[in-house]
Amino acid sequence: METQRNFLRNPLPTLPWICPTCRGVRTPGFDYCYPCQEHQTTSGGLLADVVAPIAYSPRTGQHHHHLRLYKSTPGSAQAHPHPLQDLIGDRLGLPWLTALSNPRHGSETRTFQRDWFTVQLPVESVNVRPLVLDDTWTTGSRAQSLAYALKSAGASSVAVVVLGRHIRPEHAASRPLLKAIEDPMFDPAKCAVER
């Protein structure tokens, strides 16, 4: 962990210019950034109850490189289980749910889709509260589409943990965020939710 502290950056707290959902840059005049505002509008509010990005992932940074690299190792493309599931294994002590992806929505889809995923919750379970693990959050459309499917299937709440909140350095609105995270070292004791 010590070597990653040099390039990992904690998410900023919810400031007037930071999106309270994904910790990206909020769209002026709106409560959220543009993609999160769109998710709110198109989902009817059936979204993740909490999104916890662990660190920012600027496109030109080492964290972004690592998050792309682990999926591009031989045999990991379309591998079952997903590389994250291989990494986590049974460490969480939670059952894994299977989400079936609609083939009409490929990896390049960047907008919320109500029909992106189909899930079946365990029949005998009550008060199901899934934890979604995602490697990167670019627009959040995939994670929020999955949260929508989980809630539509009966989940009482959904939490999303994201390893890297993607930031595009060429996006002018992101420059103040990149400046704000330029120097601070990653602090693993800082909670991404309670700030």
Short mmCIF file of all heavy atoms in Angstrom, two decimals, residues 78-111:
data_model
loop_
_atom_site.label_atom_id
_atom_site.label_comp_id
_atom_site.label_asym_id
_atom_site.label_seq_id
_atom_site.Cartn_x
_atom_site.Cartn_y
_atom_site.Cartn_z
N GLN A 78 -13.69 -11.07 -20.96
CA GLN A 78 -14.90 -11.89 -20.90
C GLN A 78 -14.71 -13.12 -20.02
O GLN A 78 -15.39 -14.12 -20.20
CB GLN A 78 -15.35 -12.30 -22.31
CG GLN A 78 -15.68 -11.14 -23.22
CD GLN A 78 -16.78 -10.25 -22.67
OE1 GLN A 78 -17.75 -10.73 -22.13
NE2 GLN A 78 -16.62 -8.95 -22.79
N ALA A 79 -13.75 -13.07 -19.11
CA ALA A 79 -13.53 -14.21 -18.23
C ALA A 79 -14.64 -14.30 -17.20
O ALA A 79 -15.20 -13.29 -16.79
CB ALA A 79 -12.18 -14.05 -17.53
N HIS A 80 -14.96 -15.51 -16.84
CA HIS A 80 -15.93 -15.74 -15.78
C HIS A 80 -15.25 -16.55 -14.73
O HIS A 80 -14.73 -17.61 -15.03
CB HIS A 80 -17.18 -16.45 -16.32
CG HIS A 80 -17.91 -15.62 -17.33
ND1 HIS A 80 -18.69 -14.54 -16.97
CD2 HIS A 80 -17.97 -15.70 -18.67
CE1 HIS A 80 -19.20 -14.00 -18.06
NE2 HIS A 80 -18.77 -14.69 -19.11
N PRO A 81 -15.13 -16.14 -13.53
CA PRO A 81 -15.68 -14.90 -12.99
C PRO A 81 -14.89 -13.67 -13.43
O PRO A 81 -13.79 -13.78 -13.95
CB PRO A 81 -15.59 -15.10 -11.48
CG PRO A 81 -14.48 -16.06 -11.28
CD PRO A 81 -14.45 -16.94 -12.50
N HIS A 82 -15.49 -12.51 -13.16
CA HIS A 82 -14.85 -11.23 -13.48
C HIS A 82 -13.54 -11.13 -12.70
O HIS A 82 -13.42 -11.67 -11.60
CB HIS A 82 -15.81 -10.10 -13.06
CG HIS A 82 -15.34 -8.75 -13.45
ND1 HIS A 82 -14.40 -8.05 -12.72
CD2 HIS A 82 -15.66 -7.96 -14.50
CE1 HIS A 82 -14.18 -6.89 -13.29
NE2 HIS A 82 -14.93 -6.81 -14.38
N PRO A 83 -12.53 -10.45 -13.25
CA PRO A 83 -11.25 -10.32 -12.53
C PRO A 83 -11.39 -9.77 -11.11
O PRO A 83 -10.65 -10.17 -10.22
CB PRO A 83 -10.44 -9.37 -13.42
CG PRO A 83 -11.00 -9.55 -14.78
CD PRO A 83 -12.47 -9.84 -14.58
N LEU A 84 -12.35 -8.87 -10.89
CA LEU A 84 -12.56 -8.37 -9.52
C LEU A 84 -13.02 -9.49 -8.59
O LEU A 84 -12.61 -9.55 -7.44
CB LEU A 84 -13.60 -7.24 -9.50
CG LEU A 84 -13.09 -5.82 -9.59
CD1 LEU A 84 -14.26 -4.85 -9.51
CD2 LEU A 84 -12.05 -5.50 -8.57
N GLN A 85 -13.86 -10.36 -9.10
CA GLN A 85 -14.33 -11.48 -8.28
C GLN A 85 -13.16 -12.41 -7.97
O GLN A 85 -13.07 -12.94 -6.86
CB GLN A 85 -15.45 -12.24 -8.97
CG GLN A 85 -16.10 -13.28 -8.07
CD GLN A 85 -17.33 -13.91 -8.68
OE1 GLN A 85 -17.84 -13.47 -9.71
NE2 GLN A 85 -17.82 -14.95 -8.06
N ASP A 86 -12.27 -12.61 -8.93
CA ASP A 86 -11.06 -13.40 -8.68
C ASP A 86 -10.21 -12.77 -7.58
O ASP A 86 -9.67 -13.47 -6.73
CB ASP A 86 -10.23 -13.54 -9.95
CG ASP A 86 -10.73 -14.64 -10.87
OD1 ASP A 86 -11.50 -15.49 -10.42
OD2 ASP A 86 -10.34 -14.62 -12.05
N LEU A 87 -10.06 -11.44 -7.63
CA LEU A 87 -9.25 -10.75 -6.63
C LEU A 87 -9.87 -10.78 -5.24
O LEU A 87 -9.18 -10.95 -4.25
CB LEU A 87 -9.04 -9.28 -7.05
CG LEU A 87 -8.12 -9.04 -8.24
CD1 LEU A 87 -8.20 -7.59 -8.68
CD2 LEU A 87 -6.70 -9.42 -7.90
N ILE A 88 -11.19 -10.61 -5.17
CA ILE A 88 -11.89 -10.54 -3.88
C ILE A 88 -12.13 -11.93 -3.30
O ILE A 88 -12.00 -12.15 -2.11
CB ILE A 88 -13.24 -9.80 -4.02
CG1 ILE A 88 -13.03 -8.40 -4.58
CG2 ILE A 88 -14.01 -9.79 -2.72
CD1 ILE A 88 -12.34 -7.44 -3.67
N GLY A 89 -12.51 -12.87 -4.19
CA GLY A 89 -12.80 -14.23 -3.74
C GLY A 89 -13.89 -14.25 -2.69
O GLY A 89 -14.91 -13.58 -2.83
N ASP A 90 -13.68 -14.99 -1.62
CA ASP A 90 -14.68 -15.07 -0.56
C ASP A 90 -14.29 -14.24 0.66
O ASP A 90 -14.83 -14.42 1.75
CB ASP A 90 -14.93 -16.53 -0.18
CG ASP A 90 -13.68 -17.21 0.35
OD1 ASP A 90 -12.61 -16.57 0.38
OD2 ASP A 90 -13.78 -18.40 0.73
N ARG A 91 -13.38 -13.29 0.48
CA ARG A 91 -12.90 -12.46 1.60
C ARG A 91 -14.01 -11.68 2.29
O ARG A 91 -13.92 -11.38 3.47
CB ARG A 91 -11.83 -11.50 1.12
CG ARG A 91 -10.52 -12.16 0.79
CD ARG A 91 -9.49 -11.12 0.31
NE ARG A 91 -8.26 -11.75 -0.08
CZ ARG A 91 -8.02 -12.21 -1.30
NH1 ARG A 91 -8.92 -12.11 -2.25
NH2 ARG A 91 -6.87 -12.77 -1.58
N LEU A 92 -15.04 -11.29 1.55
CA LEU A 92 -16.11 -10.50 2.14
C LEU A 92 -17.11 -11.36 2.90
O LEU A 92 -17.90 -10.85 3.70
CB LEU A 92 -16.85 -9.69 1.06
CG LEU A 92 -16.02 -8.64 0.34
CD1 LEU A 92 -16.85 -7.99 -0.76
CD2 LEU A 92 -15.52 -7.59 1.31
N GLY A 93 -17.11 -12.64 2.63
CA GLY A 93 -18.06 -13.53 3.29
C GLY A 93 -19.49 -13.29 2.86
O GLY A 93 -20.43 -13.60 3.59
N LEU A 94 -19.67 -12.75 1.66
CA LEU A 94 -21.01 -12.48 1.14
C LEU A 94 -21.26 -13.35 -0.08
O LEU A 94 -20.32 -13.66 -0.82
CB LEU A 94 -21.12 -11.00 0.73
CG LEU A 94 -20.89 -9.96 1.82
CD1 LEU A 94 -20.83 -8.56 1.22
CD2 LEU A 94 -22.00 -10.04 2.86
N PRO A 95 -22.52 -13.70 -0.33
CA PRO A 95 -22.80 -14.47 -1.56
C PRO A 95 -22.67 -13.56 -2.78
O PRO A 95 -22.90 -12.35 -2.69
CB PRO A 95 -24.25 -14.92 -1.36
CG PRO A 95 -24.84 -13.93 -0.42
CD PRO A 95 -23.72 -13.47 0.47
N TRP A 96 -22.30 -14.13 -3.90
CA TRP A 96 -22.20 -13.40 -5.15
C TRP A 96 -23.53 -13.53 -5.89
O TRP A 96 -24.09 -14.61 -5.98
CB TRP A 96 -21.07 -13.94 -6.02
CG TRP A 96 -19.72 -13.64 -5.47
CD1 TRP A 96 -18.99 -14.40 -4.61
CD2 TRP A 96 -18.93 -12.48 -5.72
NE1 TRP A 96 -17.80 -13.79 -4.31
CE2 TRP A 96 -17.73 -12.61 -4.98
CE3 TRP A 96 -19.12 -11.34 -6.50
CZ2 TRP A 96 -16.72 -11.65 -5.00
CZ3 TRP A 96 -18.11 -10.39 -6.51
CH2 TRP A 96 -16.94 -10.54 -5.78
N LEU A 97 -24.02 -12.41 -6.41
CA LEU A 97 -25.22 -12.43 -7.26
C LEU A 97 -24.77 -12.36 -8.71
O LEU A 97 -23.76 -11.74 -9.03
CB LEU A 97 -26.11 -11.22 -6.95
CG LEU A 97 -26.69 -11.13 -5.55
CD1 LEU A 97 -27.45 -9.82 -5.38
CD2 LEU A 97 -27.60 -12.31 -5.28
N THR A 98 -25.55 -12.96 -9.58
CA THR A 98 -25.23 -12.93 -11.00
C THR A 98 -26.13 -11.91 -11.69
O THR A 98 -27.34 -11.92 -11.50
CB THR A 98 -25.45 -14.32 -11.64
OG1 THR A 98 -24.59 -15.24 -10.96
CG2 THR A 98 -25.11 -14.30 -13.11
N ALA A 99 -25.51 -11.05 -12.46
CA ALA A 99 -26.25 -10.07 -13.26
C ALA A 99 -26.04 -10.43 -14.72
O ALA A 99 -24.90 -10.55 -15.18
CB ALA A 99 -25.75 -8.67 -12.98
N LEU A 100 -27.13 -10.61 -15.42
CA LEU A 100 -27.04 -10.89 -16.85
C LEU A 100 -27.10 -9.58 -17.61
O LEU A 100 -27.99 -8.76 -17.39
CB LEU A 100 -28.18 -11.81 -17.28
CG LEU A 100 -28.21 -13.18 -16.59
CD1 LEU A 100 -29.44 -13.96 -17.02
CD2 LEU A 100 -26.94 -13.95 -16.87
N SER A 101 -26.16 -9.39 -18.51
CA SER A 101 -26.04 -8.15 -19.27
C SER A 101 -26.79 -8.27 -20.59
O SER A 101 -26.67 -9.28 -21.29
CB SER A 101 -24.56 -7.86 -19.52
OG SER A 101 -24.41 -6.67 -20.22
N ASN A 102 -27.53 -7.24 -20.92
CA ASN A 102 -28.23 -7.17 -22.20
C ASN A 102 -27.18 -6.94 -23.30
O ASN A 102 -26.46 -5.95 -23.26
CB ASN A 102 -29.23 -6.01 -22.17
CG ASN A 102 -30.07 -5.92 -23.42
OD1 ASN A 102 -29.68 -6.36 -24.49
ND2 ASN A 102 -31.25 -5.33 -23.28
N PRO A 103 -27.07 -7.83 -24.28
CA PRO A 103 -26.04 -7.69 -25.31
C PRO A 103 -26.17 -6.43 -26.17
O PRO A 103 -25.22 -6.03 -26.84
CB PRO A 103 -26.19 -8.96 -26.16
CG PRO A 103 -27.53 -9.50 -25.86
CD PRO A 103 -27.91 -9.01 -24.50
N ARG A 104 -27.33 -5.78 -26.11
CA ARG A 104 -27.50 -4.53 -26.88
C ARG A 104 -26.65 -3.40 -26.31
O ARG A 104 -26.39 -2.41 -26.98
CB ARG A 104 -28.96 -4.09 -26.88
CG ARG A 104 -29.86 -4.97 -27.70
CD ARG A 104 -31.26 -4.45 -27.81
NE ARG A 104 -31.71 -3.82 -26.59
CZ ARG A 104 -32.50 -2.76 -26.53
NH1 ARG A 104 -32.93 -2.20 -27.63
NH2 ARG A 104 -32.87 -2.25 -25.38
N HIS A 105 -26.23 -3.54 -25.06
CA HIS A 105 -25.46 -2.48 -24.42
C HIS A 105 -24.04 -2.98 -24.18
O HIS A 105 -23.77 -3.73 -23.25
CB HIS A 105 -26.11 -2.06 -23.10
CG HIS A 105 -27.56 -1.74 -23.24
ND1 HIS A 105 -27.99 -0.69 -24.02
CD2 HIS A 105 -28.67 -2.31 -22.74
CE1 HIS A 105 -29.32 -0.64 -23.98
NE2 HIS A 105 -29.74 -1.62 -23.21
N GLY A 106 -23.13 -2.56 -25.03
CA GLY A 106 -21.75 -3.01 -24.96
C GLY A 106 -20.90 -2.16 -24.04
O GLY A 106 -21.38 -1.27 -23.34
N SER A 107 -19.62 -2.42 -24.07
CA SER A 107 -18.68 -1.72 -23.19
C SER A 107 -18.57 -0.23 -23.52
O SER A 107 -18.10 0.55 -22.70
CB SER A 107 -17.31 -2.38 -23.26
OG SER A 107 -16.80 -2.29 -24.58
N GLU A 108 -19.00 0.17 -24.70
CA GLU A 108 -18.91 1.58 -25.08
C GLU A 108 -20.16 2.38 -24.69
O GLU A 108 -20.19 3.59 -24.87
CB GLU A 108 -18.66 1.71 -26.58
CG GLU A 108 -17.33 1.11 -27.03
CD GLU A 108 -16.15 1.68 -26.26
OE1 GLU A 108 -16.05 2.91 -26.12
OE2 GLU A 108 -15.32 0.88 -25.78
N THR A 109 -21.17 1.73 -24.16
CA THR A 109 -22.38 2.43 -23.73
C THR A 109 -22.04 3.33 -22.55
O THR A 109 -21.47 2.86 -21.57
CB THR A 109 -23.50 1.44 -23.35
OG1 THR A 109 -23.78 0.61 -24.48
CG2 THR A 109 -24.77 2.16 -22.92
N ARG A 110 -22.37 4.60 -22.63
CA ARG A 110 -22.02 5.56 -21.59
C ARG A 110 -23.23 6.26 -20.99
O ARG A 110 -23.10 7.27 -20.32
CB ARG A 110 -21.06 6.63 -22.14
CG ARG A 110 -19.72 6.08 -22.58
CD ARG A 110 -18.84 5.81 -21.38
NE ARG A 110 -17.53 5.34 -21.79
CZ ARG A 110 -17.05 4.15 -21.53
NH1 ARG A 110 -17.77 3.29 -20.85
NH2 ARG A 110 -15.85 3.79 -21.93
N THR A 111 -24.43 5.70 -21.22
CA THR A 111 -25.63 6.30 -20.66
C THR A 111 -26.41 5.27 -19.87
O THR A 111 -26.33 4.06 -20.15
CB THR A 111 -26.54 6.88 -21.77
OG1 THR A 111 -26.85 5.83 -22.70
CG2 THR A 111 -25.86 8.04 -22.50
#
